[in-house]
Amino acid sequence: MSLSRRDFVNRSTLAGAGVLIAGGAGALASAPGAIAAPVGGEAPLAGAAGAAGAAGTNSAGGAAIGYGPLVPDPAGLLSLPKGFSYKVLNRAGRTRLRTGEFTPSNHDGTSAFEDERGGNLLVVNHELSGARANWPHPVPLTEGHVYDPGAAGGCTIVHAKRDGSVEQWVGIAGTATNCAGGVTPWGTWLSGEETEDKAGKNGFTKDHGYVFEVDPFDDDYNRDPQPVKAFGRYAHEAVVVDPKRGQVYLTEDASNPNGLLFRWTPPAGFKHGRYQLRKLAADAGVLEAFKVFDSHGKFVDDLSRATKVGTVYGVDWVKVQDRDARTVSVRKQFKEGEVTRARKLEGMWWGDKGFYFVSSYARSESPLQHDGQVWFFDPARRTITLKVLLGVNEDVWGDHDNYDGPDNITVSPYGGIVIAEDGNGVSHLFGATEEGLVYPIARNELNIGGAEKPEFSEFTGVTFSDDGRTLFANIQEPGIQLAISGPWRRLNEHKRGQGYGS
C-alpha cells in the first residue's frame, strides 16, 4: 500500500513537530563538524566542518565514549584502541586458496555466517571491474562456478575456523565489480555488480549489472551461477530483505543522473527461502524506485536537500518499466520530478525492524553538499529518517573525529552502527551510538602511496560474527581481510548477528 502525501501530512501534523515522527528523538547525530541543528533550525552547509558544538558530538567535557584513542600499530597496518587486537585472515597475492591460486584482490562487501563448530564462514566480494587481463589477482575461474570467463570479479568464501586455521575457496567467478551486497534471512549472500557493462565490452561474453546469490554452506548451489534478473540490471550496491513482508530493497551507486533506491515486491504466492530466487522469471514481481516528500507534501528531488539530523520524509514508489535496461539505463527512464535521487547510495543493513542505508557524499552534481548521510527506512511507517549527516570535511588529513565518505555499514550487537569510511585522506572504521556520539574503532596505517603523496585505501566489508565477539573488515587495496577482537561492551540492545528478526 502506498503512503499518500495527504496521509503523511496528516500524520506529521498529529506528531506535532512536522518531521520528528519516527524515532526522531533518538536519532543518531553526527560527528564533529557535521551538519546538525535542533528541531526548527537549519544548519549551514558551507563551512560546516568548522562549526563548534555540533549536536551529538563527543566534545571536550562530555562523557567518554567508545574505546579510547587509537594506538599506532608497530607493524604499520591497523591502529586500534588499547586492549584490541587483529588477525590477518588473508591478503591478496600472498595467501592462497585451497586450489592453490592466490587470494584475489579488492575485497569489498562481506558477511559472516556461523558454522556448526563455532567458526565463521565469510562470503567476500571482490570489486574487480573491466577486462580480466587488467588484474594480477582476479577471482580464479573455478570449473563449474563461472558466469562469464571474461570478467575478473566474483566472491570467495573464507572459513575462519574455531581452531584459528583459515581456508578459502571460490564461491562464484566471472562476475564484474562485485561491490556491496547483503545477507538474507535464510542464510545466503546476495552479491551486487556495480556496473552496467554489456556483452562485447571489456571482453565480456554476457551482460552484467545483476545480483547473484551465493550460499556459504552449499557449494553445489553455487555451480552454474545465474543472475537474479528480477531485481533489475543497474549499478548495484547493497541489498536487504524485509523478513516480514518479503520485499527486497536495493541501492544504486551511479551518477549523471544520481542513483536510486529500489524496492522489489515478489509475485503473489512466492515464498523466500533457499533455492527459491533461481526459480524467478526475469520479469517476476514488481521493481520500483522511491519517491519521497516532506511533511508539507512537497516532492523532494534529492536526499541532499535534508540539512538536519532527524529530518523525516514520507516514501512512495514508482514502477520501473524496463528493469533489464535493454536500451536505456534504469535511472534514466524517469523524468525529472518522478523519482528521488541521491549521490552514491551504498551500504545497507537490516536492523531495528527496518534498514539503514548510506549516501556517501554529495558535490556539485547534487543540490547541496555533504560528506555523508545515513538514513533509516521504516517499512511499517513508510518513512525515512536522517540519522547521521557529515559536513564537508575540510581537513582530510586531520584525525579528530572528522569522518567523511561512509560506505559499508553494519548494525552493531553493542548498539548503534559501525561504518566503513571511504573518503579522502586518513581512513577509519568508526561507530555511532544511538545517543548521537561517534567514536573511532580502527585506522588504516598501510600507505599504498608514497611519502610525499600518501594514500590509504578504504575500509570495506564491515560485519560482526554472530556471537558478537569479532568484527570483520577489509582494507580494499591491496586486499586484506582482518578479524578484530577486544573488550567490546554493550551500549544498547540489538539482536546479534545480521539483525533479522529484530
Side-chain angles (χ1 to χ4, degrees):
M1 181 178 69
S2 296
L3 173 66
S4 70
R5 289 172 174 78
R6 179 177 296 176
D7 290 340
F8 182 64
V9 172
N10 290 341
R11 183 184 299 174
S12 300
T13 301
L14 291 173
V19 295
L20 292 178
I21 53 178
L28 293 164
S30 47
I35 305 162
V39 176
E42 294 292 334
L45 281 157
T57 65
N58 47 338
S59 54
I65 61 164
Y67 303 98
L70 302 179
V71 180
D73 179 11
L77 182 59
L78 190 72
S79 293
L80 295 167
K82 183 178 180 180
F84 282 77
S85 62
Y86 69 87
K87 176 182 178 180
V88 175
L89 298 180
N90 56 72
R91 182 165 179 161
R94 293 193 185 180
T95 55
R96 293 182 182 270
L97 308 183
R98 67 185 182 189
T99 45
E101 303 95 339
F102 282 118
T103 300
S105 64
N106 292 63
H107 302 34
D108 211 292
T110 301
S111 190
F113 304 83
E114 187 173 11
D115 69 14
E116 69 279 2
R117 297 184 178 181
N120 288 278
L121 288 161
L122 301 148
V123 185
V124 185
N125 281 354
H126 295 274
E127 190 181 20
L128 298 164
S129 61
R132 183 176 181 84
N134 293 340
W135 298 98
H137 301 298
V139 177
L141 298 176
T142 300
E143 184 180 358
H145 291 70
V146 180
Y147 171 67
D148 179 353
C155 299
T156 52
I157 299 173
V158 179
H159 192 185
K161 301 178 183 180
R162 189 174 182 180
D163 64 6
S165 62
V166 178
E167 188 178 18
Q168 308 170 70
W169 60 91
V170 170
I172 61 170
T175 52
T177 323
N178 297 71
C179 196
V183 70
T184 67
W186 52 93
T188 62
W189 172 252
L190 298 175
S191 179
E193 294 185 299
E194 189 194 337
T195 183
E196 298 177 68
D197 289 349
K198 293 183 177 181
K201 186 174 182 179
N202 294 315
F204 292 166
T205 63
K206 294 182 178 181
D207 292 348
H208 292 265
Y210 295 113
V211 171
F212 292 78
E213 186 175 28
V214 182
D215 192 328
F217 301 98
D218 185 355
D219 194 53
D220 286 339
Y221 180 77
N222 299 329
R223 299 184 68 85
D224 187 25
Q226 297 296 319
V228 185
K229 291 189 174 182
F231 293 169
R233 195 182 71 81
Y234 45 89
H236 283 277
E237 269 286 340
V239 188
V240 297
V241 182
D242 184 332
K244 180 179 179 180
R245 300 165 185 83
Q247 292 166 319
V248 178
Y249 297 87
L250 311 100
T251 50
E252 178 187 33
D253 180 3
S255 58
N256 298 315
N258 284 345
L260 305 174
L261 175 69
F262 295 96
R263 180 182 73 176
W264 178 79
T265 301
F270 178 80
K271 292 184 178 180
H272 282 294
R274 263 187 163 78
Y275 318 122
Q276 298 307 304
L277 292 180
R278 280 203 177 193
K279 299 177 182 179
L280 289 168
D283 61 351
V286 179
L287 184 68
E288 300 165 295
F290 84 153
K291 180 177 185 178
V292 308
F293 44 93
D294 66 18
S295 58
H296 302 291
K298 182 180 178 181
F299 167 68
V300 180
D301 62 339
D302 194 283
L303 292 186
S304 67
R305 296 285 187 189
T307 59
K308 59 184 178 182
V309 171
T311 296
V312 177
Y313 293 142
V315 177
D316 208 344
W317 300 92
V318 183
K319 186 177 179 180
V320 172
Q321 295 302 316
D322 175 17
R323 73 181 79 183
D324 206 45
R326 301 318 307 162
T327 58
V328 179
S329 296
V330 171
R331 70 184 183 283
K332 296 180 181 179
Q333 295 173 25
F334 296 99
K335 298 177 182 178
E336 184 177 352
E338 289 186 325
V339 291
T340 299
R341 303 182 184 275
R343 184 73 171 99
K344 288 191 73 64
L345 288 169
E346 301 221 34
M348 309 171 77
W349 206 266
W350 185 271
D352 304 322
K353 299 181 180 179
F355 64 86
Y356 296 86
F357 68 97
V358 167
S359 170
S360 286
Y361 64 78
R363 290 294 186 267
S364 60
E365 79 291 327
S366 304
L368 298 173
Q369 296 188 14
H370 61 73
D371 255 335
Q373 297 176 327
V374 180
W375 293 85
F376 178 76
F377 176 74
D378 184 333
R381 292 179 178 268
R382 302 186 298 284
T383 57
I384 59 171
T385 303
L386 184 59
K387 297 290 189 177
V388 178
L389 181 54
L390 306 179
V392 175
N393 186 0
E394 297 174 351
D395 181 20
V396 298
W397 293 109
D399 193 7
H400 38 80
D401 294 346
N402 52 325
Y403 309 116
D404 62 281
D407 195 324
N408 285 184
I409 187 172
T410 192
V411 171
S412 170
Y414 303 98
I417 53 179
V418 176
I419 300 168
E421 191 177 23
D422 178 17
N424 296 312
V426 293
S427 185
H428 298 87
L429 296 175
F430 67 97
T433 73
E434 293 183 8
E435 291 74 31
L437 302 175
V438 296
Y439 57 93
I441 296 174
R443 181 177 61 243
N444 178 10
E445 298 287 3
L446 182 62
N447 182 5
I448 58 174
E452 295 184 0
K453 293 184 177 180
E455 181 182 354
F456 298 92
S457 175
E458 66 179 283
F459 280 104
T460 64
V462 58
T463 184
F464 276 93
S465 59
D466 280 353
D467 64 11
R469 295 179 180 179
T470 305
L471 176 66
F472 298 102
N474 310 317
I475 296 175
Q476 186 173 68
E477 296 181 45
I480 302 173
Q481 186 167 47
L482 304 157
I484 302 170
S485 58
W488 304 109
R489 62 176 180 270
R490 188 170 296 279
L491 304 175
N492 308 96
E493 289 293 329
H494 269 309
K495 179 178 175 60
R496 289 182 182 271
Q498 312 306 336
Y500 287 117
S502 64

